[in-house]
Each structure stands twice: as structure tokens, then as C-alpha cells.
Amino acid sequence: MIGGLFIYNHKGEVLISRVYRDDIGRNAVDAFRVNVIHARQQVRSPVTNIARTSFFHVKRSNIWLAAVTKQNVNAAMVFEFLYKMCDVMAAYFGKISEENIKNNFVLIYELLDEILDFGYPQNSETGALKTFITQQGIKSQTKEEQSQITSQVTGQIGWRREGIKYRRNELFLDVLESVNLLMSPQGQVLSAHVSGRVVMKSYLSGMPECKFGMNDKIVIEKQGKGTADETSKRCLSGKQSIAIDDCTFHQCVRLSKFDSERSISFIPPDGEFELMRYRTTKDIILPFRVIPLVREVGRTKLEVKVVIKSNFKPSLLAQKIEVRIPTPLNTSGVQVICMKGKAKYKASENAIVWKIKRMAGMKESQISAEIELLPTNDKKKWARPPISMNFEVPFAPSGLKVRYLKVFEPKLNYSDHDVIKWVRYIGRSGIYETRC
Amino acid sequence: MTDSKYFTTTKKGEIFELKAELNSDKKEKKKEAVKKVIASMTVGKDVSALFPDVVNCMQTDNLELKKLVYLYLMNYAKSQPDMAIMAVNTFVKDCEDPNPLIRALAVRTMGCIRVDKITEYLCEPLRKCLKDEDPYVRKTAAVCVAKLHDINAQLVEDQGFLDTLKDLISDSNPMVVANAVAALSEIAESHPSSNLLDLNPQSINKLLTALNECTEWGQIFILDCLANYMPKDDREAQSICERVTPRLSHANSAVVLSAVKVLMKFMEMLSKDLDYYGTLLKKLAPPLVTLLSAEPELQYVALRNINLIVQKRPEILKHEMKVFFVKYNDPIYVKLEKLDIMIRLASQANIAQVLAELKEYATEVDVDFVRKAVRAIGRCAIKVEQSAERCVSTLLDLIQTKVNYVVQEAIVVIKDIFRKYPNKYESVIATLCENLDSLDEPEARAAMIWIVGEYAERIDNADELLESFLEGFHDESTQLQLLTAIVKLFLKKPTETQELVQQVLSLATQDSDNPDLRDRGYIYWRLLSTDPVAAKEVVLAEKPLISEETDLIEPTLLDELICYIGTLASVYHKPPSAFVEGGRGVVHKSLPPRTASSESAESPETAPTGAPPGEQPDVIPAQGDLLGDLLNLDLGPPVSGPPLATSSVQMGAVDLLGGGLDSLIGGTNFVAPPTAAVPANLGAPIGSGLSDLFDLTSGVGTLSGSYVAPKAVWLPAMKAKGLEISGTFTRQVGSISMDLQLTNKALQVMTDFAIQFNRNSFGLAPAAPLQVHAPLSPNQTVEISLPLSTVGSVMKMEPLNNLQVAVKNNIDVFYFSTLYPLHILFVEDGKMDRQMFLATWKDIPNENEAQFQIRDCPLNAEAASSKLQSSNIFTVAKRNVEGQDMLYQSLKLTNGIWVLAELRIQPGNPSCTLSLKCRAPEVSQHVYQAYETILKN
């Protein structure tokens, strides 16, 4: 299991050092600094073995988190734990920075004592942790409170405490998708997928039992079979359902029920959490098409023309559109003309950045640029990195629709109808690249 | 208030000041002081001198302060054991505290203090805590047993804690179960023989129930423990799998990977015929792909594991190639791993896409990545034969970029392509030679030297090239290659290169201190001076083709690593014993053996090692086999007569003897010792040793295939001291064989049969030794089917299809020659695409066209077409012109020569007209004969 956990600043000075196992000595702290943080070459693996000691590291801004072990630990678990550790710290004191870590080092030690025992991760849900790791010092708890805490930390529903009350029962569902594309210069889709998340913010009293439904093809087809009016159902499912390649759920979701009935039922944590993640690859609506044209005129000049076309309902508006056209390292000057928005050559980023605030569906726009190059002796050709794009659209490119989210709380007297529900769809660009 | 100020105290006399503060009356001040101590401790300062003062602060009702003091204690107790005893009372008292959080804190901390005297006091409180009413205390106590075991294993056993821990597996609280499982698994690892984790169907059932209820981490502990269980039969394995599969949808990647581990392991026990087996395979792919959208570090872990899974069960991800395409912004470690998996998944179906991607990668910035991409292109060529040509041309394009490391990498892989497809792409050698000067890496130089030596006869200035390398002979990394290459050159062009070979032999034997080099130098020298013909046969003998997968993990290791999915072992691709110290975690794990029900699907002996029969590399023999055959040499060499004396070989030998060697031997004082005499025919047994790999003997017989002529007598008994040989040639499902009938018409028993072919136009050679199992007694006849390959030496014969054969038995060696029908060389993939056909037809000059009449062949177009098709002559298109049926047909010979045909059939007219177009017009006559034989029979 995890033998120790260290946090360093960018200089390699240790900010937190907690050792869980006897086989990890103080020299492990230095070994990581010397071999990884101060290494001459860029780190080539997130797992490093130094003298039979293995180090797992992740970086958050300029802070290094390293877990160390001498055993054959579950590597996936160690990384999941490091990410979780970051989440927990962020939930307690915001951004993970040197200053924040120094300011909260006592808290961090307390957390590390609680969520890792002998190197075994323990309950690390912030909801539960915040009930008893408070930094408030002596806060006398009644016996009931204490046992409530312990039963929550160890219990089946470790993510939610009992007795939550809201005057207004409300929930927000955000369908957040990032659409990824790799397109050839000829406009052929080399790979495209949507990775989506359903994020829920729940402000619900008691221990509400929730059921979430979406236009999942498998569910809709299953329902379609049951009814007599099959043709109309099929019609519906053909158009409006989507094929989900795979999905994963927050630990509150009953996985065995999903496996057997494909229904998503759960008791949500209080506040914001990520209910599910999913991935689709079929019938993706690609909100933008990028058509590049790069021409090398002699050895010292490049002509670039890029057309973007929006491909969604004209009534919808895309926002925060940004097209990034890479330029060679030996660029000496750039002249740009664009029809819409603003375009600038950013020498420090080796790219022309073209920004458009808003763009309606079914429109197109164009930019052309002349790039002057310095003659070089460099034999190696310019690698032509792909043109990338960023945007935000008010729909889900996968076609996912929320069909319902039902809430049942048998003990308290509010019903599904009393809950105010909000649903929002946001599609963003993930890695959206067109080769040129 | 911020805590960062504690990090900035660097004054002198700091310890003294802290001491005063720690003993202050004010609670706040005390707490501040302890915080400063902890901060100093973190940055590595020695604050052990404050031990008594800090321990004094322990008695407090402030939980935060208490935790800080405990933290200090855990760090320094070991260095101050006597003073640590002062803390015991507080611990014992805290274990009785009404607040469960404090009870748990005390027992958790005590377990971390590795001082014997404290451990003694720990036992009683621990016993109580293990039975505490509060689950939080019990789950903490469970882990504490593992801690105590780490300090004093005997104590844990004596105190009976292990039994209590086992009881906790049945606890009502899922987290207690999970921690108990984790603790027991760890303890069990250090006692491999003990039956501590006595897993049985009942306890497994409990674990599976807890799996649905506990935290994500608990699920990992339970799944990792389940993976060690061995189900008693396939039904139990299936039912566990069914209950584990829902975990594949968990958001935590480690839960998913641990579930994958359980499934991969138990799947071994399921029969492949089972529907469930297929369902399970399908269910595994999506979660594995989803892992690739995790954070990069986890992607890395996932990719390393997928690499193993793809080797073990390639079918799972065979359709998912695209998800492994490299993204521009992937960290380098993700890129390199993805590339590896792409090559493993490359197949004929997706090769075009893969190549396009690889070409893209070869222009990236990162040197390692580019090198790997170039290497990958070469591996694709070797793996997917159909793509070889495109790969070679891509590599040539890359060489044109003149980027130094790209060129060198490309040359290294082209060498391997030559070894896989000999005599096919030598046209690129000229381009390679242009880049000689830029080769500064030993591996690239070695590759180039090998290529020059191997193809010396086709490179006009091979001697100059090798001479230029010889100037740098002191560079140790390519000495062996250079020695071999120059000897090959000498054997191929003896007249011009005597001086060179002499030079290299003396450098190797006299100026070098390297024992391998000297030994090899002497071997060559003796060989050349004793028997140049033999030398030629030994050095220039056929070599086995290289295998497509050179970097597969060895099957037993792979199976072991599958049992370690998700762990460090799977990341390093090494067994835990390679990186874990001591006895811990080095228990050798292995996959469960396949159950009886599955043996029908898979031969039993391949099951434990895992590789299904079809996936074994089919080109290279296991080293053992080869060795075995070589050792066999003295016992009964298949051929003991003189090598086949054909005019060309004879000529070469004469040249060698007359021209070169006399002076070579004369020029030095080296006298070949008599012991160095090498059996003259070393070449032959090696050749037949290799032939074991072409195990094509099966599948001959009744299967439909090309037309087979009736057996004809090839060697009459009177010419061969009583041995009569008759035979014919067949082609069935891609393999050619020579069906022989040996009859003993002598009065003496015949044994020790062997066969050898002279070089011939299409490189036909026996692919296995002639196996006559029992001695052939007088008047007995045996039927033998001898598999043939077309990778033998090529020499144009007259007529083209002439084959000279030598057969040997205990009596003598006999020679005969026979003509083989050309259609045994028509390959199965000889169907040309229609467009291609048109283009090729036009492209071949008209003077290459030959026209023949086939008389007395009253077949209609359909019948002719289907008859021809069974002999691998494919009808590309059909047309009816003025009442005549025109069939456009294509066929391909084993050496890649295409023949296009137009067959005109007139209904009612028994003769038809055949027009043949081929780039090598000399085959036309024989193709026509093949047509005639096929159509008329």
C-alpha cells in the first residue's frame, strides 16, 4: 500500500511529508526531488522507480504531489487517490497553491491522517469529512452527533448525512459535453467522440430517492417492445434516442440495478456532484467544420486560408469561438484579414488566434493570412500542427436529452411535483482539431 | 490567521524558544508551538529534542492539538523509545473515551508507533476496539491488526487477532468488511502458505454483497482479494463474473481495472462456446476505452494494462483502433504507449489508417516518439504482408527528409523487412547507400553493413562500401557484422575481394581481444581454407524468416501479469519479485487452468500458457526445435551424399578454389588443423532442420483444391537400385506438396530416406524432411506427402518448370528430374480488381501477349470459369461479344508475377482461344499448359 505521501513546491522544497510505512525513510523525500523534480530531462513517466522504491506523481499548477511505496500496490488506485486528495483539498481551501498549502498544513495533516490509514484509502467524501474535520478545535458533540458522524463515514450512504432540510426543494441538472474531433485536411473524420458529464446540484430535504432518465437507445427500445404501437415507438426511438458507448457513475448510483434494468437510481449527495460520465461516437453533431488551405509560396512565405462553417439550427448561437492557426517557428511577420471577429498573431504562442464572440447556426466565415518566414538552415520541416478550435454551444452535440428526474422522499411530505427542476445543456469543444 | 508563518522560523535558539512556548500555561500558545514543531519536522529539521515537552501537551481535550502531538509521536517515538512510554497511559485512556472518534484515533496512532513496549500495551485496547459497538472504531482496529503484524507477527498470532479479523469479514458494516479484507490480504501475502484468506463460496458471497455497499476504495480491496480466489468450476466462475460486471460502470478507474482483472482471470475458466463468454468479451471493451478519457496519469496506467490485455485477448479491442490514435497534446508517455498498442492492433482491415497516422507522427518534434513511429511503420510491414510495399515506400519518403535520426531508424527497420521478405525490395538499396555518411549510430551502421553483405551480389561497389566501414573497425559495436558481411561478399564475389577478406580475418583474429570476434573469425577462416564449397553453403544458407511479433511478452510472464492488472507490476511489465524487496508480494500468481469443458475448443497444452494456437508466430521455430535438429546432425543427417552437383554450383566452387583460396592460404601462415574439417554438407541439415516449422503435412488429402495429375513414375526402379518413385504435385488451401509413392523393389530393406531439390525457377524446396517412419521392406510401398515451400534458392531452369531432385537412402543417392505443372504455384489471392486489371492489361506491352488454342474443350463459360477458379485462376470480368463469351482472368504466381488472360469461348465450337499477357512472357507457355490440363480434366 501507499508508504508515504509528499507535497512539494516547484523548487522541490517539501511542504507536506507524511510517512505511513516503516519501509519508507526520510531519504525517499530527497530521492524524488533529485530524480524527478530536479531532473535534467522532462519527466517521461508518471511512475518512477528509484532504487526499488516507486513514486507516483501528479502536478497541480506548480505543486507536486507524490505517493511513494515499496510494494506492488494498485497503481490505478494510487492515482485515483491522489486526484481525490486534490479534490478534498480544493473543497477545503480552494486552489492548490504553495501559499494555500502552507496556510493549511495542519488541516492537511489531519486530513491525511483520516483518509489514509496505513496507506489504505478510507472514506474521502468531502461531505462526510466536513462533518468532523473542521479545524474548529474543541467542538463538543453530543453522543448522537458522534454516532451519526461515524455511521455516516462508515455507512452505506457515506456521501450524505441525515436530517438535511430545505425550505425550497430544488435541483439543477447540467448536461456538459465536450466534443472531440480529429479531421483530415480533406475533411474526413479521423476520429470523433463526445465525452459528456451530467452534473447535478441538489438542494433536497431528507434522504430523497432519485431516478434519472434520458433518451438512451437501449432503454427506449426496451420500452418500445412492450407496447403494441411499435411502429410509432420505433419512429420515436430512431430519431430521438442516442447510442451510448459507455458510461460510468458516481458511487451513489446503484450499479447492479443499472446493469440489470439499465435504470439510474440513487440517493444524491447534498450540493454539487457529478452523477455520470458517458461517451458516444455515433451520430455526433459536429457544431463547426474547419476548412484549411495552406500554401507554401517559396521558402519564405506561407499563405493560409481557413473557412469555418457552423452546422446547427440557425436560431441557436455559439459563443466564445476561437480558432488557433499554428505558425512556423521562423515566422517574421503576419498579415491577417478576417470577415468577422478579431484575429491576432501571437508570436509567443506561435499561432494566429482568431476570436469571434458569437455566431449563429448555418453561417460561415473566413480568415486569410500571409505569413512571412525567415530563411533558416534548419533541415527539419515544419511539423504543421493541427488547427484547433474552441467554442461553446447551447445544445448537446451527442443528442442526449434528459427525459425525467423523479424524486421520492417517503418520510417527508413533499412530492416529485414540489421539486423545482432546472436542466441546461452546454456543448464545448474538447480537442477539436483539423490537420492542415 | 494563516499557518504559513510557522515555516519561517529560522532563528538561532529556536529550539530553546519552542521549549518555553510548549511549557506555557496558555493553551493557544501551546498549540502554536506544536504547530511550529510540526512545520520544522516537515522540512526535515531535527526537533526530537523537544520530545518530552511535546508529549506533555498530549493530555488535552482539544482534538486538533491531540492529533498534532500524535503526528509528532509517530515520527519520533522510534528514536526515543524510553520516553515514548510516557504516552502509553494517554493512549490506553483514550481507547476508553466515550467519543468513538477519539477511541479510533488512539488505536490508529498506537499502531503506528513501532516501539515494543508500547505494542505490548496495545493488545488489550485493540482487542476491545475490534469488538467495539461503533463501526468506525472497528474499521480502524481492523487496519491496526495489519500494522501490529508488521511490527510483531508472532504477537498477532499468539493473541488470536487473526481469528477476530476473520470474523470481521462477516461484519454488518461494509467498510469494516473492506478494511478487514485489506488487512487479511496483506497479512496473507507474507504467509503464502497459510490458509488465512480461506475463501470459500460462502465467504465469497459475503464479499460480493459488501461490494455493492462499500466505498470506492473498499470495492478495490474486495475486488483485488476476489482476484486471488480460484473458483471450483466454470459455473461458479460465471456467477462471480456476473456479479462483478456492474463494477465496470464505476466512475473510479481503479475499481474498473480491478474488476477487469477478476473478469480476465475467471474468463480462463469459461468455455469459449458459451454465449456468456462472448457477452463478457463485448462488455469489456467499452470500459477499457473509457479509461482513456481519464486524467493522463491514469491513462498511462490503463494503457500499460491494455497492452497486456491486447496480447492476451486481442479480440476484445480489435475494432477500437481509432481510440488509440495519438492526440497532439497527449503527454509523451501516453503517446508512446498508444503507439505500442496501435501496432499490436494493426491488421489488414485497418492498416491504411494506421499507416496514415504513423506517417503523420513521424513528422512530430519529440525524437523518441518519431523514432518509435518510424519503427512502427517497419513493424506494420512485417506484420501485415499486404501493406509491406506501402510501408517501404513510406520509409523511403522519410529517408528523403534527410533528418538524421529518421534515416537511421528507417534503415534499421528496412533491414528487418529484408529479413522477412527476402529478394523483394532490393531496389531500395541504392537509396540506402546514398545515406551511408549520415549513419553515426551503431545500430543503424550494423543494419546497413548487414544489408550490404546480404545483397553483395547486387551492389556493384559493395567492396568499396564495406572497405569504408572497415576503416572504422576499432568501433566495437559493428565488428561482428562487418566480419560476416565481408565473408559473405567474398563468397559471392571471390575474385575481387581476397584482400579485403584477408584484412578483416586478420583484424578479427589477431588485432582483437574480443573472444566472440576471434572465435568467429577463426571459424570463417578454417571454413574458407578447408572447403570453400561448404563455406558457401554454410554462410550463405537460407535463413528462417523473422517472426512478426518480436516484442511479445513471454506467455507465462504475460499470464502472471494478467493476475496483477491494475498494480505496479502491470505498469512495469515485470513480476513483483523484480521490484519488491523481501518476501512480500512475491507469491507467484498464475491464471486458473482451463476447465475440461473448454478443451474441445482449445487444445489443452496451449491453455495454461494462454496463446491460442492460431496466434503463435508461425514463422520462427522455438529455439529448442532448431537446436534439437542441429544436434541431431551426427546421429542421422538426412543427406549424406555429396551436395547436388549442378553446373552452376560446380562453377562457383572451381572459381573459389582456383582463384581465391590458394593465394589466401598461401599468403598467410595459417594452416587449417585437421580437426577443423567440417562435414561437407553442413548446409543441408540446417536447411531441413528449419523445415520443421512448416508443418504443412496436415490437411492433405480429400479437400478440394487445384487439379491433381495422376502419379507418374519419376524414377524407375532399375535406375535406382530397386527404389521406384512415382509422384505428382498438389496444391491445397495455400500449400503445395509433392505426393510421393516410394516402392522398394529391391531385396534389401531401405532406410534413412532424405530428399533435396536443386535450385529452381520458383524457389521450390522441401518444407519438411522426408519422413518415412518405418524402414521400407522389400515389395512394400509407402505414400508420402512432402510439403513444399517457395522460399528456396532461385535459379532459372530450362525448361522453366524443371525440378531436379536428389533422393537418398541407405543404399545410395539417386537423381532425377521432373516437370511440375505451373498451376501449383497459382496463389489464392490472385484475383485482381477490375480497374487494376484494365490498367495492367493496357500497361503490359503488346509484344508480351501470347495466343494459344485449346482444342477439344467443349465447356461453356460458367463451367470453365468454375473449373479454373478451383485452381486459383480467377475470372475478373465476363463479356459477350458477337455470340462469343469472353472471360477476363487473372492469376498470381508464388513469386508475385501476375498473369492476365483473356479466354474466348464460342458456343458450339470445341476449341477456345487463350490470350495471355504477363510482364515475364516466358511463363506464358507453361500457364497455357496449365490451362489445358485444368480444362481438360
Side-chain angles (χ1 to χ4, degrees), chain A residues 209 211 254-265, chain B residues 246:
Chain A
E209 182 69 42
K211 203 172 167 191
R254 296 184 184 92
L255 293 180
S256 34
K257 209 156 180 190
F258 177 76
D259 193 58
S260 56
E261 304 162 24
R262 221 173 157 89
S263 77
I264 303 166
S265 62

PDB file of all heavy atoms in Angstrom, chain A residues 209 211 254-265, chain B residues 246:
ATOM      1  N   GLU A 209     -34.921   9.631  -2.764  1.00  0.00           N
ATOM      2  CA  GLU A 209     -34.609   8.571  -3.719  1.00  0.00           C
ATOM      3  C   GLU A 209     -34.843   9.157  -5.107  1.00  0.00           C
ATOM      4  O   GLU A 209     -35.936   9.632  -5.407  1.00  0.00           O
ATOM      5  CB  GLU A 209     -35.560   7.408  -3.441  1.00  0.00           C
ATOM      6  CG  GLU A 209     -35.381   6.186  -4.280  1.00  0.00           C
ATOM      7  CD  GLU A 209     -34.086   5.455  -3.983  1.00  0.00           C
ATOM      8  OE1 GLU A 209     -33.733   5.318  -2.783  1.00  0.00           O
ATOM      9  OE2 GLU A 209     -33.427   5.078  -4.946  1.00  0.00           O
ATOM     10  N   LYS A 211     -34.519   9.094  -9.477  1.00  0.00           N
ATOM     11  CA  LYS A 211     -34.409   8.236 -10.665  1.00  0.00           C
ATOM     12  C   LYS A 211     -34.223   9.134 -11.873  1.00  0.00           C
ATOM     13  O   LYS A 211     -34.989  10.079 -12.072  1.00  0.00           O
ATOM     14  CB  LYS A 211     -35.673   7.395 -10.787  1.00  0.00           C
ATOM     15  CG  LYS A 211     -35.448   6.161 -11.593  1.00  0.00           C
ATOM     16  CD  LYS A 211     -36.640   5.239 -11.561  1.00  0.00           C
ATOM     17  CE  LYS A 211     -36.468   4.184 -12.637  1.00  0.00           C
ATOM     18  NZ  LYS A 211     -37.653   3.402 -12.853  1.00  0.00           N
ATOM     19  N   ARG A 254     -26.781   2.979  -7.966  1.00  0.00           N
ATOM     20  CA  ARG A 254     -26.791   1.531  -7.742  1.00  0.00           C
ATOM     21  C   ARG A 254     -26.405   0.821  -9.041  1.00  0.00           C
ATOM     22  O   ARG A 254     -27.210   0.654  -9.946  1.00  0.00           O
ATOM     23  CB  ARG A 254     -28.168   1.089  -7.291  1.00  0.00           C
ATOM     24  CG  ARG A 254     -28.516   1.696  -5.951  1.00  0.00           C
ATOM     25  CD  ARG A 254     -29.821   1.222  -5.390  1.00  0.00           C
ATOM     26  NE  ARG A 254     -30.065   1.966  -4.168  1.00  0.00           N
ATOM     27  CZ  ARG A 254     -30.749   3.105  -4.128  1.00  0.00           C
ATOM     28  NH1 ARG A 254     -31.288   3.597  -5.231  1.00  0.00           N
ATOM     29  NH2 ARG A 254     -30.905   3.741  -2.993  1.00  0.00           N
ATOM     30  N   LEU A 255     -25.167   0.383  -9.083  1.00  0.00           N
ATOM     31  CA  LEU A 255     -24.640  -0.157 -10.343  1.00  0.00           C
ATOM     32  C   LEU A 255     -25.309  -1.461 -10.737  1.00  0.00           C
ATOM     33  O   LEU A 255     -25.555  -1.729 -11.907  1.00  0.00           O
ATOM     34  CB  LEU A 255     -23.126  -0.372 -10.232  1.00  0.00           C
ATOM     35  CG  LEU A 255     -22.291   0.892 -10.096  1.00  0.00           C
ATOM     36  CD1 LEU A 255     -20.814   0.542  -9.994  1.00  0.00           C
ATOM     37  CD2 LEU A 255     -22.519   1.798 -11.289  1.00  0.00           C
ATOM     38  N   SER A 256     -25.631  -2.298  -9.750  1.00  0.00           N
ATOM     39  CA  SER A 256     -26.208  -3.589 -10.121  1.00  0.00           C
ATOM     40  C   SER A 256     -27.586  -3.384 -10.742  1.00  0.00           C
ATOM     41  O   SER A 256     -28.008  -4.139 -11.613  1.00  0.00           O
ATOM     42  CB  SER A 256     -26.270  -4.528  -8.928  1.00  0.00           C
ATOM     43  OG  SER A 256     -26.518  -3.823  -7.767  1.00  0.00           O
ATOM     44  N   LYS A 257     -28.282  -2.344 -10.286  1.00  0.00           N
ATOM     45  CA  LYS A 257     -29.586  -2.059 -10.858  1.00  0.00           C
ATOM     46  C   LYS A 257     -29.432  -1.542 -12.295  1.00  0.00           C
ATOM     47  O   LYS A 257     -30.224  -1.871 -13.172  1.00  0.00           O
ATOM     48  CB  LYS A 257     -30.284  -0.993 -10.010  1.00  0.00           C
ATOM     49  CG  LYS A 257     -31.774  -1.128 -10.055  1.00  0.00           C
ATOM     50  CD  LYS A 257     -32.410  -0.519  -8.824  1.00  0.00           C
ATOM     51  CE  LYS A 257     -33.908  -0.678  -8.920  1.00  0.00           C
ATOM     52  NZ  LYS A 257     -34.593   0.094  -7.895  1.00  0.00           N
ATOM     53  N   PHE A 258     -28.401  -0.761 -12.502  1.00  0.00           N
ATOM     54  CA  PHE A 258     -28.163  -0.278 -13.863  1.00  0.00           C
ATOM     55  C   PHE A 258     -27.819  -1.458 -14.767  1.00  0.00           C
ATOM     56  O   PHE A 258     -28.284  -1.553 -15.890  1.00  0.00           O
ATOM     57  CB  PHE A 258     -27.034   0.750 -13.874  1.00  0.00           C
ATOM     58  CG  PHE A 258     -26.697   1.242 -15.251  1.00  0.00           C
ATOM     59  CD1 PHE A 258     -27.519   2.152 -15.898  1.00  0.00           C
ATOM     60  CD2 PHE A 258     -25.576   0.772 -15.920  1.00  0.00           C
ATOM     61  CE1 PHE A 258     -27.221   2.594 -17.178  1.00  0.00           C
ATOM     62  CE2 PHE A 258     -25.280   1.211 -17.204  1.00  0.00           C
ATOM     63  CZ  PHE A 258     -26.107   2.121 -17.830  1.00  0.00           C
ATOM     64  N   ASP A 259     -27.027  -2.361 -14.223  1.00  0.00           N
ATOM     65  CA  ASP A 259     -26.602  -3.500 -15.023  1.00  0.00           C
ATOM     66  C   ASP A 259     -27.788  -4.373 -15.410  1.00  0.00           C
ATOM     67  O   ASP A 259     -27.871  -4.867 -16.524  1.00  0.00           O
ATOM     68  CB  ASP A 259     -25.575  -4.322 -14.234  1.00  0.00           C
ATOM     69  CG  ASP A 259     -24.867  -5.326 -15.105  1.00  0.00           C
ATOM     70  OD1 ASP A 259     -24.246  -4.894 -16.091  1.00  0.00           O
ATOM     71  OD2 ASP A 259     -24.943  -6.523 -14.813  1.00  0.00           O
ATOM     72  N   SER A 260     -28.721  -4.560 -14.473  1.00  0.00           N
ATOM     73  CA  SER A 260     -29.826  -5.465 -14.778  1.00  0.00           C
ATOM     74  C   SER A 260     -30.976  -4.757 -15.494  1.00  0.00           C
ATOM     75  O   SER A 260     -31.565  -5.305 -16.411  1.00  0.00           O
ATOM     76  CB  SER A 260     -30.312  -6.138 -13.498  1.00  0.00           C
ATOM     77  OG  SER A 260     -30.655  -5.158 -12.555  1.00  0.00           O
ATOM     78  N   GLU A 261     -31.317  -3.543 -15.049  1.00  0.00           N
ATOM     79  CA  GLU A 261     -32.510  -2.887 -15.646  1.00  0.00           C
ATOM     80  C   GLU A 261     -32.160  -1.655 -16.455  1.00  0.00           C
ATOM     81  O   GLU A 261     -33.025  -1.036 -17.061  1.00  0.00           O
ATOM     82  CB  GLU A 261     -33.471  -2.449 -14.523  1.00  0.00           C
ATOM     83  CG  GLU A 261     -33.905  -3.567 -13.602  1.00  0.00           C
ATOM     84  CD  GLU A 261     -34.478  -3.011 -12.306  1.00  0.00           C
ATOM     85  OE1 GLU A 261     -34.938  -1.846 -12.309  1.00  0.00           O
ATOM     86  OE2 GLU A 261     -34.450  -3.717 -11.283  1.00  0.00           O
ATOM     87  N   ARG A 262     -30.913  -1.279 -16.431  1.00  0.00           N
ATOM     88  CA  ARG A 262     -30.451  -0.048 -17.067  1.00  0.00           C
ATOM     89  C   ARG A 262     -31.191   1.172 -16.550  1.00  0.00           C
ATOM     90  O   ARG A 262     -31.458   2.132 -17.270  1.00  0.00           O
ATOM     91  CB  ARG A 262     -30.547  -0.131 -18.587  1.00  0.00           C
ATOM     92  CG  ARG A 262     -29.297   0.495 -19.230  1.00  0.00           C
ATOM     93  CD  ARG A 262     -29.212   0.320 -20.708  1.00  0.00           C
ATOM     94  NE  ARG A 262     -28.350   1.347 -21.317  1.00  0.00           N
ATOM     95  CZ  ARG A 262     -27.031   1.233 -21.483  1.00  0.00           C
ATOM     96  NH1 ARG A 262     -26.408   0.172 -21.084  1.00  0.00           N
ATOM     97  NH2 ARG A 262     -26.343   2.207 -22.058  1.00  0.00           N
ATOM     98  N   SER A 263     -31.596   1.147 -15.287  1.00  0.00           N
ATOM     99  CA  SER A 263     -32.215   2.342 -14.706  1.00  0.00           C
ATOM    100  C   SER A 263     -31.203   2.975 -13.754  1.00  0.00           C
ATOM    101  O   SER A 263     -30.410   2.285 -13.113  1.00  0.00           O
ATOM    102  CB  SER A 263     -33.497   1.968 -13.975  1.00  0.00           C
ATOM    103  OG  SER A 263     -33.179   1.382 -12.749  1.00  0.00           O
ATOM    104  N   ILE A 264     -31.248   4.294 -13.690  1.00  0.00           N
ATOM    105  CA  ILE A 264     -30.245   5.020 -12.910  1.00  0.00           C
ATOM    106  C   ILE A 264     -30.916   5.547 -11.649  1.00  0.00           C
ATOM    107  O   ILE A 264     -31.666   6.518 -11.697  1.00  0.00           O
ATOM    108  CB  ILE A 264     -29.667   6.176 -13.754  1.00  0.00           C
ATOM    109  CG1 ILE A 264     -29.072   5.617 -15.049  1.00  0.00           C
ATOM    110  CG2 ILE A 264     -28.636   6.966 -12.972  1.00  0.00           C
ATOM    111  CD1 ILE A 264     -28.785   6.659 -16.093  1.00  0.00           C
ATOM    112  N   SER A 265     -30.730   4.851 -10.547  1.00  0.00           N
ATOM    113  CA  SER A 265     -31.382   5.294  -9.316  1.00  0.00           C
ATOM    114  C   SER A 265     -30.341   5.493  -8.226  1.00  0.00           C
ATOM    115  O   SER A 265     -29.338   4.778  -8.177  1.00  0.00           O
ATOM    116  CB  SER A 265     -32.451   4.296  -8.897  1.00  0.00           C
ATOM    117  OG  SER A 265     -31.856   3.059  -8.642  1.00  0.00           O
TER     118      SER A 265
ATOM    119  N   PRO B 246     -21.151  -5.298 -13.099  1.00  0.00           N
ATOM    120  CA  PRO B 246     -21.679  -3.932 -12.896  1.00  0.00           C
ATOM    121  C   PRO B 246     -20.600  -2.929 -12.492  1.00  0.00           C
ATOM    122  O   PRO B 246     -20.719  -1.740 -12.761  1.00  0.00           O
ATOM    123  CB  PRO B 246     -22.691  -4.109 -11.769  1.00  0.00           C
ATOM    124  CG  PRO B 246     -23.102  -5.521 -11.831  1.00  0.00           C
ATOM    125  CD  PRO B 246     -21.920  -6.273 -12.330  1.00  0.00           C
TER     126      PRO B 246
END
